[in-house]
């Protein structure tokens, strides 16, 4: 309505001025016309009277027409203004972005739209009792007031500021302001756009970039990033200066500087890496460089192309590492390795010579010891036959003890020779079936003790890759032990099978003999270690040591499980190399 009032005043003023002008023109013009027609006083008086009546009637009609037209225009303008104001109010209230109108003097809210009510959480009445300071964090208010004093009128883009919702949540909004007249006050209409996600994402990205840059600057390795063709370096980390002796700025200014400092003998390697990078997308090489001080360094150069989602090259980057110390250690290691190989070859030759001498010595000693033992056993038997009556019972027991000791010594010599052969014999690997070997060994044991009844269980066939000359004594020792330690059982049982449940599919020789406590089982494979006394069970203490040596020569391992009174299970694996193996010293 207030916008229509000036138009009404202008219209009334125009009608009044027009009426005055027409009246003055009519008075002077009509008088002149009457005087020119006739000078008769009576006619002149009549003409003046009718002239006045005509003027009043014509001006009345004109005023009626003008006032009617003016009111029509007035009412039309008022209707248009009301319609425009209604549309503007609807646009303001229903705008999807938060909007409000505030008093520039008091900073109080004069109007808010529905989006602002939803966004900030205040009701319309609560908004009307607030000021702009109430939706700002307390620490931002002084800055807001200072900026307000320096602000210019009209339309302004305020930018991103912080606001606080009713819940206390702090958000970031981008504000745009436009000065308006509202309810007779100097006011401003503001629209807010929530940019919290964008601001937080930007800050997170800035933190990541800062951390990334800090990480790069703290690394000893040099990093660089260039554009797609490599002609423009975008970033060079400070560590490059420690490697090349040139500042990052110098390398950025001259992208070919890295190639210029390469040692002449390695220039082809470095240049080829660039072609490999462009052809294959990545490249790595090692070459020498010369620093400005003349020092020669080894550098590991790894680089690759960086593609976008459409597999187009956008950048390239790489890592440079100073490997001078590694190269020096490698050189020393190679020299040490050659020296070690020389020493090993020398020691191996010496050990082979010593082993050969020990083997010859063992065979000689065994031969020299067996002859007197045979003599002792022979004369003992001769004394028992010829002088049995003179020796008496006590002498016969002594002769028996001497004979048994001589045989035990002979068995020990045989076992030591078997152990020596197991350690030094050359392997001849072939396919061997263990079942026929086991039955043959048990038949020999049965011939020595025909009175015994022992049940033997085995599959039809159990094939392994092994040396026949060594696998036979292995089985002989294990089956002899099982035969010996089941001697006190009426239901003696020996079993040969393959334990497929074990991780290595081990071969097992199992008995139900006397067993033993396995707390010290780790010592049982050492020479002369026994878990039963010689008076209980005979033996030399060498058999299991020989078994362990044979299994070890075949690349396997041996272990056992035993329970006193229930029996013993001996497991072993064989994993020999194919072909013939030379004995190891």
């Amino acid at each position: 309505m207030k916008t229509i009032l000036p138009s009404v005043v202008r219209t009334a003023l125009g009608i009044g001025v027009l009426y005055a002008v027409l009246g003055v023109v009519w008075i002077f013009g009509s008088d002149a016309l009457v005087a020119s027609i006739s000078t008769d006083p009576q006619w002149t008086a009549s003409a003046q009277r009718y002239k006045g009546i005509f003027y009043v009637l014509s001006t009345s009609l004109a005023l009626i027409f003008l006032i009617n037209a003016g009111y029509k225009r007035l009412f039309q303008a008022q209707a248009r203004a009301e319609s425009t104001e209604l549309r503007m109010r609807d646009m303001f209230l229903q705008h999807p972005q938060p909007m409000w109108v505030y008093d520039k003097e008091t900073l109080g809210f004069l109007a808010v739209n529905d989006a602002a009510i939803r966004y900030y959480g205040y009701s319309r009445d609560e908004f009307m009792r607030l000021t702009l300071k109430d939706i700002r964090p307390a620490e931002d208010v002084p800055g807001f007031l200072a900026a307000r004093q320096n602000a210019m009128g009209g339309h302004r883009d305020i930018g991103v500021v912080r606001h606080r919702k009713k819940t206390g949540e702090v958000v970031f909004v981008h504000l745009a302001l436009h000065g308006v007249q509202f309810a007779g006050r100097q006011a401003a209409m503001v629209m807010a756009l929530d940019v919290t996600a964008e601001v937080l994402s930007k800050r997170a990205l800035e933190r990541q970039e800062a951390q990334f840059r800090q990480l790069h600057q703290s690394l000893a390795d040099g990093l660089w990033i260039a554009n797609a063709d490599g002609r423009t370096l975008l970033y060079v980390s400070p560590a490059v200066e420690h490697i090349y002796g040139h500042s990052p700025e110098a390398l950025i200014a001259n992208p070919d500087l890295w190639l210029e400092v390469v040692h002449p003998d390695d220039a082809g390697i470095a240049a080829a890496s660039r072609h490999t990078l462009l052809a294959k997308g990545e490249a790595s090489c090692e070459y020498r460089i010369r620093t400005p001080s003349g020092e020669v360094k080894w550098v590991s150069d790894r680089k690759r192309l960086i593609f976008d989602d459409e597999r187009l090259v956008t950048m390239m980057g790489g890592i440079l590492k100073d490997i001078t110390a590694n190269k020096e250690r490698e050189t020393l290691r190679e020299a040490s390795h050659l020296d070690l190989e020389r020493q090993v070859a020398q020691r191996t030759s010496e050990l082979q010579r010593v082993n050969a001498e020990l083997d010859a010595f063992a065979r000689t000693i065994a031969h020299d010891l067996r002859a007197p033992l045979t003599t002792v056993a022979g004369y003992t038997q001769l004394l028992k036959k010829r002088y049995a009556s003179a020796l008496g019972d006590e002498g016969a027991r002594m002769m028996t003890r001497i004979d048994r000791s001589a045989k035990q010594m002979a068995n020990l010599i045989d076992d030591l020779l078997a152990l020596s052969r197991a350690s030094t014999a050359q392997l001849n690997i072939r396919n061997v079936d263990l079942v026929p070997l086991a039955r043959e060994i048990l038949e020999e044991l049965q011939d020595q003790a025909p009175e015994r009844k022992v049940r033997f269980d085995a599959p039809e066939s159990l094939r392994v890759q092994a040396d026949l000359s060594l696998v036979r004594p292995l089985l002989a020792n294990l089956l002899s032990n099982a035969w010996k330690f089941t001697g006190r059982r009426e239901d003696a049982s020996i079993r040969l099978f393959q334990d497929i449940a074990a991780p290595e599919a081990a071969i097992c020789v199992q008995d139900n003999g006397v067993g033993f406590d396995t707390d010290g089982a780790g010592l049982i494979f050492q020479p002369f270690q026994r878990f039963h006394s010689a008076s209980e069970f005979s033996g030399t203490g060498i058999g299991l040591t020989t078994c362990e040596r044979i299994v070890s020569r075949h690349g396997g391992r041996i272990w056992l499980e035993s329970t006193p009174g229930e029996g013993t299970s001996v497991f072993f694996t064989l994993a020999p190399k194919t072909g013939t193996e030379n004995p190891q010293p």
Side-chain angles (χ1 to χ4, degrees), residues 375-443:
T375 302
V376 169
Y379 276 105
T380 301
Q381 294 295 328
L382 187 60
L383 284 173
K384 288 172 67 177
K385 287 182 180 181
R386 290 184 180 182
Y387 305 102
S389 58
L391 291 174
D393 294 338
E394 183 66 21
R397 283 196 299 272
M398 290 182 180
M399 290 296 103
T400 301
R401 187 171 299 175
I402 292 172
D403 183 56
R404 186 166 59 247
S405 297
K407 290 180 178 179
Q408 186 176 1
M409 178 62 74
N411 291 335
L412 178 59
I413 292 172
D414 291 339
D415 288 346
L416 287 173
L417 286 174
L419 178 62
S420 174
R421 285 193 297 271
S423 302
T424 60
Q426 185 175 2
L427 293 183
N428 185 13
I429 304 301
R430 64 180 67 181
N431 193 316
V432 178
D433 191 348
L434 298 182
V435 176
L437 274 179
R439 295 190 184 280
E440 181 181 338
I441 293 169
L442 288 173
E443 287 176 1

Side-chain angles (χ1 to χ4, degrees), residues 415 477 481 540-548:
D415 288 346
N477 274 294
N481 284 343
T540 61
I542 300 296
L544 285 179
T545 304
T546 303
C547 292
E548 191 277 334

Side-chain angles (χ1 to χ4, degrees), residues 13-192:
L13 182 60
I15 293 174
V17 171
L18 179 62
Y19 184 77
V21 171
L22 289 176
V24 171
V25 171
W26 173 261
I27 291 171
F28 288 102
S30 62
D31 288 345
L33 179 62
V34 170
S36 64
I37 294 175
S38 176
T39 58
D40 182 14
Q42 185 177 359
W43 187 88
T44 301
S46 297
Q48 289 289 348
R49 184 170 53 252
Y50 289 115
K51 178 186 70 166
I53 294 172
F54 175 78
Y55 177 76
V56 170
L57 291 175
S58 62
T59 54
S60 296
L61 292 174
L63 284 173
I64 292 172
F65 174 77
L66 290 174
I67 291 172
N68 182 61
Y71 270 104
K72 283 185 178 180
R73 291 182 58 191
L74 177 63
F75 290 139
Q76 290 174 354
Q78 182 178 0
R80 285 196 301 270
E82 290 177 352
S83 176
T84 301
E85 182 177 354
L86 183 60
R87 287 198 303 271
M88 293 297 294
R89 184 177 294 274
D90 289 342
M91 288 178 60
F92 173 80
L93 291 176
Q94 297 177 11
H95 198 281
Q97 298 299 334
M99 296 180 68
W100 59 84
V101 179
Y102 73 93
D103 191 320
K104 287 188 175 181
E105 294 297 327
T106 65
L107 300 182
F109 287 95
L110 300 177
V112 292
N113 70 349
D114 297 337
I117 292 173
R118 290 193 301 269
Y119 182 72
Y120 287 93
Y122 296 102
S123 66
R124 197 176 303 276
D125 292 338
E126 288 173 332
F127 253 120
M128 294 301 104
R129 294 192 294 268
L130 299 177
T131 67
L132 289 182
K133 295 184 291 183
D134 296 322
I135 64 171
R136 290 287 186 108
E139 59 272 20
D140 293 356
V141 171
F144 160 64
L145 295 176
R148 172 177 169 267
Q149 304 223 343
N150 298 328
M152 301 289 293
H155 181 78
R156 286 191 298 117
D157 186 350
I158 298 176
V160 177
V161 299
R162 295 199 307 168
H163 277 180
R164 186 181 61 197
K165 296 183 179 181
K166 183 178 179 179
T167 59
E169 178 188 0
V170 176
V171 294
F172 294 88
V173 292
H174 188 280
L175 301 181
L177 177 147
H178 186 74
V180 294
Q181 289 286 333
F182 190 88
R185 304 182 189 180
Q186 291 293 325
M189 184 170 62
V190 179
M191 184 175 70

Side-chain angles (χ1 to χ4, degrees), residues 88-336:
M88 293 297 294
R89 184 177 294 274
D90 289 342
M91 288 178 60
F92 173 80
L93 291 176
Q94 297 177 11
H95 198 281
Q97 298 299 334
M99 296 180 68
W100 59 84
V101 179
Y102 73 93
D103 191 320
K104 287 188 175 181
E105 294 297 327
T106 65
L107 300 182
F109 287 95
L110 300 177
V112 292
N113 70 349
D114 297 337
I117 292 173
R118 290 193 301 269
Y119 182 72
Y120 287 93
Y122 296 102
S123 66
R124 197 176 303 276
D125 292 338
E126 288 173 332
F127 253 120
M128 294 301 104
R129 294 192 294 268
L130 299 177
T131 67
L132 289 182
K133 295 184 291 183
D134 296 322
I135 64 171
R136 290 287 186 108
E139 59 272 20
D140 293 356
V141 171
F144 160 64
L145 295 176
R148 172 177 169 267
Q149 304 223 343
N150 298 328
M152 301 289 293
H155 181 78
R156 286 191 298 117
D157 186 350
I158 298 176
V160 177
V161 299
R162 295 199 307 168
H163 277 180
R164 186 181 61 197
K165 296 183 179 181
K166 183 178 179 179
T167 59
E169 178 188 0
V170 176
V171 294
F172 294 88
V173 292
H174 188 280
L175 301 181
L177 177 147
H178 186 74
V180 294
Q181 289 286 333
F182 190 88
R185 304 182 189 180
Q186 291 293 325
M189 184 170 62
V190 179
M191 184 175 70
L193 179 65
D194 184 4
V195 292
T196 305
E198 291 84 346
V199 171
L200 295 181
S201 298
K202 181 180 179 182
R203 291 186 176 181
L205 181 60
E206 289 173 351
R207 284 196 301 271
Q208 289 180 354
E209 289 179 351
Q211 293 170 354
F212 178 75
R213 187 174 296 273
Q214 184 179 7
L215 175 63
H216 277 197
Q217 293 177 352
S218 63
L219 292 175
D221 297 345
L223 295 97
W224 59 270
I225 299 175
N227 65 347
D229 60 6
R231 301 305 306 167
T232 302
L233 285 171
L234 306 176
Y235 172 76
V236 178
S237 68
V240 173
E241 184 170 2
H242 298 291
I243 301 174
Y244 280 85
H246 295 277
S247 67
E249 293 76 14
L251 289 164
I252 292 175
N254 182 7
D256 292 327
L257 182 58
W258 73 275
L259 192 57
E260 296 172 2
V261 301
V262 175
H263 192 282
D265 294 342
D266 296 344
I269 298 174
S273 70
R274 172 184 283 180
H275 298 296
T276 303
L277 172 66
L278 297 176
K280 298 184 177 181
E282 60 182 345
S284 62
C285 62
E286 297 175 355
Y287 50 79
R288 291 166 293 174
I289 63 170
R290 283 179 173 171
T291 65
S293 62
E295 180 183 5
V296 176
K297 293 183 178 180
W298 276 95
V299 173
S300 171
D301 184 354
R302 291 177 294 157
K303 46 185 173 279
R304 66 184 309 164
L305 300 179
I306 302 172
F307 300 91
D308 60 11
D309 294 339
E310 298 179 356
R311 298 297 298 170
L312 297 176
V313 180
T314 58
M315 290 185 295
M316 62 175 62
I319 300 176
L320 301 166
K321 184 180 181 66
D322 185 352
I323 58 171
T324 306
N326 295 344
K327 285 293 184 178
E328 292 175 351
R329 285 194 295 270
E330 185 178 332
T331 302
L332 291 175
R333 189 162 50 248
E334 289 177 355
S336 300

Side-chain angles (χ1 to χ4, degrees), residues 527-539:
F528 309 111
Q529 294 293 330
R530 301 172 58 89
F531 282 82
H532 302 283
S533 63
S535 60
E536 292 180 301
F537 297 99
S538 62

